[in-house]
Amino acid sequence: MGHLDQIEGIQRNVALAKLTTFQMGGPADYFYEVKDVMEVPMLIEAAQKDGLPFILLGWGSNVIFSDNGFRGLIIHNLARKIEKDDDLVVTDSGTLLSQIIQFCLKNGLTGMEKMMGLPGTIGGAVRGNAGAFGLETKHIFEKALIYKEGEGVREVGYDYLDFDYRHSKIKETHEIVLKVWLKLKPGDTAAGVAEVRQIITSRAGKHPSGKSAGSFFKNPSGNSVGQGLSAGLLNDQCGFKGKHIGGAFISEKHGNFLMNDGTATMENVLDLCLQIQKAVFEKFQVKLEREVALVGEHGYIEDTFSKKND
Ligand SMILES: Cc1cc2nc3c(=O)[nH]c(=O)nc-3n(C[C@H](O)[C@H](O)[C@H](O)COP(=O)(O)OP(=O)(O)OC[C@H]3O[C@@H](n4cnc5c(N)ncnc54)[C@H](O)[C@@H]3O)c2cc1C
């Protein structure tokens, strides 16, 4: 019997499809729902002792799991405690952005309204420096409590995260965000509520409905041809709008939304991803980088395209 088997509340063979917005994913060998964020280190240590990979799952809006499932531990982050400390909001990493915005507006704080409708947890948002309408997570980030295998739990500030467009250091180190301190401003909450309504309407017109993980590629930058162009536009110009491979396809409404018609497999997703990357590279000499995390049976699938073309 392994260390994970001895943990009360651990579940076996839990289907992952319903836990992500892409709605694909076979069973996780081990699965645990965390309500107290400080349980995370103990779970990771148990997985390590058993020699198994682990992944912390937030709202599942930026990750695609293999249809073959995951041969390790998925920790589902449902830790959502939230409190106010003057102008700071202190929250567990599993709290949804929409819950934080509502909490702020109820407590006289403003500054996060532009993120309404952006799916996901604050932990996921810190990892990818998620943002919308010009507001990025880094703009409201004060500090975080993080966990690193072998190093334990510690507090880190803004500089440590090395934020960039849809990027933080956590993406490379795979450290875990446990708690986050956000700095907001006392303000006109009636105006905040009005802005939230307007943002919701604006987002509804832009994004396709259906099974997706949001924008699939990062928008390229710093390239003479791709500069100013979005990944969606580049994909469109290579003729990918509406293109299907098996159950995976590119939305007709948004050229950077890779969707699942309900029958997609990881092979379909990878084939479509690679075809787009190759075509865009050949036509524009732009290397599209994935924004969405892909998880195979034994862990993250790294970006094979860049390695092949370097
Ligand atoms: C319809 C739609 C619209 C979207 N619009 C936007 C948008 O406007 N702007 C934008 O930036 N993004 C957008 N996204 C992408 C997504 O919402 C963000 O990337 C979000 O921050 C992901 O958070 P999550 O909790 O869902 O992360 P998950 O999908 O659960 O996880 C994604 C990755 O982050 C890791 N992770 C999750 N929590 C933690 C943690 N606490 N510590 C360390 N690592 C963690 C996971 O292990 C995984 O590798 C959109 C997605 C969809 C489906």
Side-chain angles (χ1 to χ4, degrees), residues 56 58-62 119 121 123 125 127 130-131 166 175 177 203 214 300:
L56 183 83
W59 184 246
S61 60
N62 204 28
T121 61
R127 173 188 176 270
R166 298 295 176 268
E175 286 158 295
V177 181
R203 287 185 74 97
Y300 286 102

Side-chain angles (χ1 to χ4, degrees), residues 268-287:
N268 298 155
V269 172
L270 287 170
D271 282 354
L272 189 50
C273 169
L274 199 61
Q275 275 198 19
I276 294 172
Q277 285 177 312
K278 276 189 174 155
V280 169
F281 188 70
E282 273 161 29
K283 193 161 177 161
F284 299 106
Q285 291 76 55
V286 170
K287 282 183 187 173

